[in-house]
Amino acid sequence: LASRTGVSPAYVCSVISGKKGISANFAMGLEYALGVPKSFWLNLQANYESELLEANEALTITEEERDAREALTDVVKYLRSKGKMPPRESKENSILSLRKALQISNIANLKEMIPSGAFRISANAAMNPYVLGAWIRLCQIAGDNAVPSAQFDKGRITELCGKIKQIMCRKNAVIQKDLKELLDKYGINFSIVKNFRGAPVQGY
């Protein structure tokens, strides 16, 4: 096999024993030697590496992530209530689930989330950078998942303000729903994101 694939016997032994991966060149050699497409061997290698990463994923958790997880108890409860995280899991697994739910490779990096655009925050309430970062990620995800049905037109702002006032003065208005629907027609994505203790924000 080594001769037919153009590698050394030691290399073949290393691949078989899992010490080396199947390289692109070896996959090509295997296609010639065995008549099995190189894509099969490369996919096999990719699947193996993916399973290896998954098996060792818990080893990537840092102490700072464990600290961040303690601060994110309310966020975890909320995500579980929305079905975005499993209802029962170990603290280690909950960190991995948080990474996926908030689409971030390390939850300790939440403290570095800096919002762009206008941002309103209370100066009187205590702020936790991990909770604030998680809240910002939830806002960003809500924004990414919604596309307004109309194009925004700056010239229609006065007209829009008048309609917002009508909603605010209407007795039977369902404020959040009605505002979301109205703003959507004017090309504005308006999302209501749950507020958490530690993220004293009024708008983003």
Side-chain angles (χ1 to χ4, degrees):
L1 182 62
S3 298
R4 288 161 61 198
T5 54
V7 297
S8 69
Y11 183 84
V12 174
C13 287
S14 294
V15 170
I16 290 170
S17 62
K19 291 175 185 165
K20 275 192 187 335
I22 298 173
S23 67
N25 285 340
F26 189 47
M28 178 79 79
L30 287 168
E31 180 175 80
Y32 286 125
L34 304 175
V36 178
K38 59 186 166 292
S39 58
F40 170 81
W41 301 108
L42 292 172
N43 285 338
L44 206 62
Q45 182 65 36
N47 290 340
Y48 170 72
E49 287 172 5
S50 176
E51 285 176 18
L52 203 59
L53 277 174
E54 210 164 300
N56 295 324
E57 200 175 6
L59 300 176
T60 66
I61 295 171
T62 64
E63 280 307 311
E64 195 177 2
E65 277 192 290
R66 287 185 177 88
D67 293 341
R69 169 61 183 85
E70 292 305 314
L72 296 170
T73 303
D74 288 345
V75 176
V76 168
K77 282 181 190 167
Y78 169 73
L79 289 169
R80 283 178 176 159
S81 74
K82 294 292 180 186
K84 307 278 180 169
M85 283 180 67
R88 289 181 196 85
E89 57 187 347
S90 67
K91 281 275 166 84
E92 304 278 299
N93 285 339
S94 72
I95 290 171
L96 302 178
S97 295
L98 268 171
R99 287 178 181 176
K100 289 174 185 163
L102 299 175
Q103 299 171 0
I104 191 164
S105 63
N106 184 320
I107 62 169
N109 294 342
L110 287 169
K111 69 180 187 304
E112 295 165 21
M113 295 301 304
I114 299 168
S116 57
F119 189 66
R120 297 178 63 212
I121 188 162
S122 168
N124 303 325
M127 190 266 287
N128 181 292
Y130 297 121
V131 179
L132 180 60
W135 185 81
I136 290 168
R137 280 303 300 136
L138 290 171
C139 290
Q140 291 169 339
I141 291 165
D144 290 344
N145 292 337
V147 179
S149 59
Q151 188 71 30
F152 177 70
D153 179 0
K154 194 175 173 183
R156 298 178 70 199
I157 289 178
T158 306
E159 176 189 321
L160 172 60
C161 288
K163 291 192 176 180
I164 289 173
K165 286 177 185 174
Q166 287 173 10
I167 288 174
M168 303 307 276
C169 295
R170 200 186 311 141
K171 284 185 180 177
N172 60 347
V174 182
I175 301 291
Q176 293 182 0
K177 177 179 169 289
D178 293 349
L179 278 180
K180 188 169 180 65
E181 287 173 2
L182 174 67
L183 290 165
D184 178 74
K185 290 174 187 169
Y186 283 80
I188 298 169
N189 170 26
F190 179 67
S191 299
I192 311 291
V193 178
K194 180 174 168 53
N195 184 257
F196 301 101
R197 189 172 60 253
V201 283
Q202 288 85 44
Y204 165 52

